[in-house]
Amino acid sequence: MTTASCHHWVVRLIDGDIADDERDGILSLVYHSVNFDIPFAATKGVRNELLYVVRMKLKDPAWRRFPQEPGAEEG
């Protein structure tokens, strides 16, 4: 997946074009990855996590960052 395709997916998520149960968590990663109050070097891990999550969502929209425990209810 290219970085451009990841950016496009995130923009579509922000705009509400993509429905995802993990939207709030992904948007939190976006916020923290561009928070200019945090030193750039400290946000590198957050940006890497964001790109990983988005790439996995592009491969498989049903992929979950934190898989549900067996028998847990959808909520």
Side-chain angles (χ1 to χ4, degrees):
M1 306 295 149
T2 66
T3 303
S5 62
C6 291
H7 290 162
H8 180 71
W9 189 91
V10 169
V11 168
R12 290 182 57 220
L13 181 75
I14 291 169
D15 287 345
D17 296 340
I18 297 173
D20 193 290
D21 292 343
E22 297 183 312
R23 182 177 193 270
D24 291 344
I26 294 168
L27 293 181
S28 177
L29 288 173
V30 171
Y31 170 77
H32 285 93
S33 71
V34 296
N35 186 338
F36 296 115
D37 292 331
I38 301 171
F40 186 77
T43 60
K44 182 178 181 181
V46 175
R47 284 189 304 281
N48 288 341
E49 174 74 8
L50 175 61
L51 284 172
Y52 174 75
V53 169
V54 172
R55 285 181 174 126
M56 294 304 292
K57 291 286 187 176
L58 283 167
K59 277 177 150 178
D60 176 9
W63 179 85
R64 296 182 62 91
R65 184 172 172 214
F66 302 108
Q68 263 192 300
E69 302 257 339
E73 288 185 31
E74 281 289 321

